[in-house]
Amino acid sequence: PDPKVLEFLRILEEYRIKCEDEGNYLEAGRANAQVETLRRQEEKRQQKAIRARQINERTEVQIAHNMQYTDFNAAWDKYMEEYDNMAEMYIQQMTERHAVKLLEFQRGLQKEMTQKPP
């Protein structure tokens, strides 16, 4: 609560009590009405401030979430690119290895065939 408002409420309450003690109930009623009005206004002001803080916090959380989401997606995309590159390299290595093995097999078979009598 605003300290100025609290101070004003305290002064109004003291004034209301003073008026009641003096028997001036009409003025005490007006002071009481003023106190209630001021309390309601202060309560509304505080609720509005709380709502604004909550909206601000929610916005900050949403921004942080979006940043984390973007970072995760970037990291995931990088991981998948690296994975795909490694997979391509492994496929290339296996293809080359198979080609070498096939060539060795074919040469061995050719050599075996030429050494056997018909």
Side-chain angles (χ1 to χ4, degrees):
D2 186 357
K4 292 178 183 178
V5 172
L6 291 177
E7 178 64 18
F8 190 62
L9 283 170
R10 186 188 61 75
I11 292 169
L12 272 175
E13 190 63 29
E14 287 175 4
Y15 178 69
R16 182 192 62 81
I17 291 170
K18 180 183 172 215
C19 289
E20 285 179 356
D21 289 344
E22 293 173 354
N24 190 352
Y25 297 110
L26 188 60
E27 187 64 23
R30 279 187 239 161
N32 191 49
Q34 184 106 14
V35 165
E36 291 304 316
T37 300
L38 195 55
R39 280 188 180 143
R40 280 193 303 274
Q41 288 174 346
E42 179 64 12
E43 186 177 318
K44 285 180 185 177
R45 186 192 68 76
Q46 287 179 11
Q47 287 175 348
K48 188 176 179 181
I50 288 170
R51 229 177 285 119
R53 276 197 311 274
Q54 287 174 337
I55 288 170
N56 187 42
E57 286 176 13
R58 189 176 339 139
T59 301
E60 288 176 1
V61 166
Q62 186 65 39
I63 288 169
H65 170 74
N66 289 343
M67 287 173 53
Q68 286 177 338
Y69 180 76
T70 301
D71 291 347
F72 172 80
N73 280 340
W76 182 257
D77 289 345
K78 182 181 176 192
Y79 171 79
M80 288 305 295
E81 183 179 346
E82 290 172 358
Y83 180 84
D84 288 343
N85 289 340
M86 291 298 290
E88 278 184 44
M89 184 182 75
Y90 290 146
I91 290 171
Q92 181 66 31
Q93 288 175 352
M94 289 285 275
T95 303
E96 290 171 5
R97 196 174 314 137
H98 288 168
V100 168
K101 293 267 187 192
L102 178 62
L103 188 59
E104 288 173 358
F105 177 76
Q106 288 173 339
R107 285 182 182 160
L109 190 58
Q110 181 73 24
K111 187 177 181 182
E112 188 179 314
M113 294 296 269
T114 54
Q115 289 178 351
K116 279 189 177 181

